[in-house]
Amino acid sequence: QVQLVESGGGLVQAGGSLRLSCAASGRTFSTYAMAWFRQAPGKEREFVAAINWSGGSTYYADSVKGRSTISRDNAKNTVSLQMSSLKPEDTAVYYCAASQTIGRTLFTGTSFYAYWGQGTQVTVSS
C-alpha cells in the first residue's frame, strides 16, 4: 500500500510554469508506476503523464506533450510534474496516482491505478 499527497498547485498566468510534487509513504514506492491525472469541473478525470517504476519509461497525453516533464526520485519517494507554457484549459485539480507494476508498460486509464492523492488545484488565468 501507498499513500500519496500532492502539492505545488496554485494560480498562474497563461504562459507561466508550475512544478507539482507528490510525496509517497512507505518503503515500496519504487515498485509502483506513477501517473498524473487532472479533472476540471463537469468533466471526466483525464490522463496527463505517467512514469514507470524505474523512471526509464514515460508517456504524455497529447494535450501536454512537449511542455510537461514527469520525473521521480525513488530515494526520496517523490514524483513531480513540471509544466510550462500553461494554458487556461490546463485549469483542473491534479491528482497523483500509483499503479502496482514493476515493468515498463504504462497505462492511461484511471482503472489501472489503485492509489490516489487528494489532489491539488491548478488555475491558469488568461
Side-chain angles (χ1 to χ4, degrees):
Q1 64 179 22
V2 62
Q3 292 185 333
L4 309 172
V5 180
E6 303 95 333
S7 63
L11 176 64
V12 62
Q13 293 183 348
S17 300
L18 275 180
R19 186 178 182 87
L20 306 181
S21 296
C22 176
S25 66
R27 300 171 63 182
T28 60
F29 175 75
S30 63
T31 68
Y32 292 86
M34 303 295 297
W36 288 93
F37 289 77
R38 66 186 182 186
Q39 187 168 23
K43 300 179 66 177
E44 294 186 347
R45 191 166 299 186
E46 66 173 351
F47 171 80
V48 178
I51 187 167
N52 81 317
W53 71 275
S54 69
S57 180
T58 60
Y59 184 73
Y60 300 90
D62 288 342
S63 59
V64 302
K65 185 179 181 180
R67 58 190 184 93
S68 297
T69 301
I70 187 170
S71 61
R72 68 189 299 161
D73 186 337
N74 288 344
K76 297 181 178 180
N77 284 9
T78 59
V79 61
S80 299
L81 180 68
Q82 177 70 43
M83 301 188 69
S84 62
S85 300
L86 286 163
K87 308 172 182 179
E89 50 263 46
D90 293 320
T91 296
V93 176
Y94 283 69
Y95 297 91
C96 179
S99 177
Q100 295 173 297
T101 178
I102 59 173
R104 295 181 62 84
T105 302
L106 298 174
F107 301 94
T108 62
T110 58
S111 63
F112 290 95
Y113 295 86
Y115 304 100
W116 296 82
Q118 85 288 351
T120 184
Q121 176 71 48
V122 172
T123 302
V124 183
S125 62
S126 61

